[in-house]
Amino acid sequence: MLDIFRGLKSFIKVSHVQTDSAVFRIHYSVTVLILTAFSLVVTTRQYVGNPINCIHSKDIPEDVVNTFCWIHTTYHVPSALKLKMATMPGGDGGEVIYPGIGRPQRPGDIRYIKYYQWVCFCLFFQAILFYVPRWLWKHWEGGKIHSLLMDMDIGLVAEVEKKQKKKMLLDYLHMNLCHHNWWFYKYFFCELVALANVVGQIFLMDRFFDGEFMTLGLDVIAYSEEDPEDRVDPLIRVFPRMTKCIFRKYGASSNIEVLDVLCILPLNIVNEKLYLFLWFWFLILAGLTMLNTMMRLLLMISPRLRAFFLQVRLRFVSRDAISVIIRRSRIGDWFLLYMLGQNMDPVIFSEVMSDLARRLGHKGKDYSEA
């Protein structure tokens, strides 16, 4: 499985110029890599062998039954999940041969397992959805940060060259002050799309598994704390490993024979672990994205908070100079400056900010005494 991740690493490239937040990068880099790798894993026979193996009579070719049951779905009986399973030979008898394999107790007491045909496609589609916000922002950002850096992310720059580039950057920042809000709002919209996507995908997978995914992680945790005699493994309920399949064929004298075939689903051994991981991953990612969105809203309404974050990055610039910049700028300007500070050499960026504050009317010391 590590080979799959290594092969995909070359396709998921994160630029050395950062134009977004760390949480936003988790969506389009780490999560896309995970979902794409999982999509490949479930299609690789190296890890699960045949995705389905059915018990059949000798007069029916093996591939025929397996293919038929794979295409037309299998089923299990939910009411039989709680029945006692037969023990070893010589022990006490049981009611079923395996959890979920039994006779329906009432009409509708059958759950068809039809998702496994679509798992690889669904995972790949989810990966595409996670990359959409990144694609939008990459298009709207248009390489602005990279252009303004002018290779000043490297500390070793000739003094004459550094002075010329600093002047060009200062001229741009001064002339375009208060004109970056729309640019920032586009980024904020992409963050909202990322939040809506991860929350929406949780509901999408819940629908995909007929309402069983939303509480999957909680059910697994609760299962470990229940009485072994009474508990039902939620992973077997959602990802059954043995199911049944109805196969019809013509027998002697053209009479119709109905065969109730038992099928083993090795693929679900992999599916249950992948989706249990995704349950926790999506929950954590949704929480981090919500916190990031709340922080972004606070930054939009609080100049003091913007000044604090800028002060953390600019430790050598006086607070008065930063206050002047915050008072004369807007949220879009702050975001641009913060992104530049995230990529630019700290010393050069501090010099740029001190010069900008002086252009905006700051007459105090350029650097903090701290």
Side-chain angles (χ1 to χ4, degrees):
M1 189 177 295
L2 291 176
D3 293 336
I4 293 179
F5 280 93
R6 292 193 192 99
L8 291 173
K9 186 178 179 181
S10 59
F11 294 96
I12 310 297
K13 294 182 179 179
V14 179
S15 174
H16 71 282
V17 177
Q18 299 175 0
T19 61
D20 42 42
S21 67
V23 174
F24 192 71
R25 287 194 293 275
I26 292 175
H27 282 258
Y28 68 79
S29 58
V30 180
T31 307
V32 169
L33 178 64
I34 289 172
L35 290 171
T36 307
F38 285 0
S39 177
L40 294 176
V41 166
V42 298
T43 59
T44 306
R45 291 194 175 190
Q46 174 184 353
Y47 302 107
V48 297
N50 291 328
I52 187 171
N53 291 295
C54 298
I55 301 174
H56 56 87
S57 59
K58 294 181 179 180
D59 59 331
I60 306 175
E62 177 182 356
D63 291 342
V64 172
V65 179
N66 290 344
T67 303
F68 177 86
C69 293
W70 177 262
I71 294 174
H72 292 276
T73 74
T74 60
Y75 71 92
H76 70 163
V77 180
S79 62
L81 289 168
K82 297 183 179 180
L83 299 180
K84 185 178 180 181
M85 190 167 61
T87 59
M88 296 179 62
D92 296 333
E95 299 173 273
V96 294
I97 62 171
Y98 193 80
I101 304 300
R103 292 184 178 181
Q105 302 298 316
R106 57 186 180 278
D109 188 20
I110 290 179
R111 178 173 176 260
Y112 288 96
I113 314 299
K114 47 193 175 184
Y115 60 79
Y116 51 72
Q117 306 170 6
W118 303 98
V119 167
C120 63
F121 301 106
C122 185
L123 289 170
F124 186 72
F125 177 67
Q126 289 178 269
I128 293 175
L129 291 179
F130 268 99
Y131 194 79
V132 167
R134 163 62 177 171
W135 180 83
L136 286 173
W137 175 235
K138 188 176 181 180
H139 175 71
W140 285 334
E141 194 268 338
K144 180 187 289 288
I145 301 295
H146 186 270
S147 299
L148 293 176
L149 280 176
M150 293 180 287
D151 295 328
M152 285 190 288
D153 52 337
I154 305 173
L156 297 176
V157 182
E159 191 63 31
V160 176
E161 182 182 357
K162 181 174 71 171
K163 186 176 181 180
Q164 183 181 9
K165 290 180 177 180
K166 279 172 53 182
K167 184 180 183 303
M168 293 174 62
L169 178 58
L170 280 167
D171 290 342
Y172 173 84
L173 293 174
H174 187 254
M175 292 176 59
N176 293 277
L177 205 65
C178 302
H179 289 86
H180 297 105
N181 274 13
W182 183 239
W183 184 72
F184 165 76
Y185 290 140
K186 288 179 179 179
Y187 173 71
F188 184 58
F189 173 76
C190 292
E191 286 193 326
L192 292 179
V193 172
L195 175 60
N197 175 63
V198 66
V199 174
Q201 290 214 26
I202 294 174
F203 286 94
L204 172 67
M205 285 192 288
D206 189 60
R207 182 66 181 270
F208 188 64
F209 291 109
D210 297 327
E212 297 280 3
F213 182 79
M214 193 68 71
T215 60
L216 179 63
L218 297 176
D219 291 342
V220 172
I221 295 173
Y223 167 75
S224 62
E225 300 175 353
E226 293 178 355
D227 188 340
E229 296 294 331
D230 301 325
R231 63 188 184 181
V232 176
D233 190 345
L235 293 178
I236 292 181
R237 185 180 69 245
V238 183
F239 305 97
R241 300 154 193 176
M242 180 181 288
T243 55
K244 302 178 76 176
C245 173
I246 302 298
F247 184 84
R248 299 172 178 86
K249 72 181 187 70
Y250 284 107
S253 303
S254 297
N255 60 312
I256 298 176
E257 295 181 0
V258 180
L259 305 179
D260 198 4
V261 181
L262 281 176
C263 295
I264 307 297
L265 297 174
L267 183 62
N268 272 351
I269 299 295
V270 176
N271 284 338
E272 66 181 25
K273 295 170 178 60
L274 299 186
Y275 279 101
L276 183 60
F277 173 83
L278 289 178
W279 189 90
F280 287 103
W281 180 261
F282 279 21
L283 184 67
I284 294 171
L285 186 57
L288 290 174
T289 310
M290 287 181 183
L291 290 175
N292 184 69
T293 303
M294 292 173 61
M295 180 59 67
R296 197 70 65 192
L297 290 171
L298 289 175
L299 287 167
M300 292 170 65
I301 63 178
S302 174
R304 289 187 178 182
L305 191 60
R306 297 202 292 270
F308 170 77
F309 273 89
L310 210 54
Q311 180 66 43
V312 171
R313 186 163 294 280
L314 298 171
R315 299 179 181 178
F316 304 108
V317 180
S318 67
R319 293 183 179 180
D320 291 340
I322 293 177
S323 297
V324 169
I325 295 173
I326 294 298
R327 284 198 304 269
R328 296 287 301 275
S329 62
R330 297 179 180 177
I331 180 63
D333 304 304
W334 174 88
F335 181 69
L336 176 62
L337 293 174
Y338 193 81
M339 287 295 107
L340 287 173
Q342 190 169 280
N343 293 279
M344 197 176 293
D345 178 75
V347 175
I348 297 178
F349 186 60
S350 296
E351 294 173 356
V352 170
M353 295 299 291
S354 297
D355 291 344
L356 178 62
R358 190 164 52 250
R359 285 197 182 189
L360 295 177
H362 177 60
K363 299 183 183 302
K365 292 182 179 180
D366 288 342
Y367 293 94
S368 171
E369 295 179 357

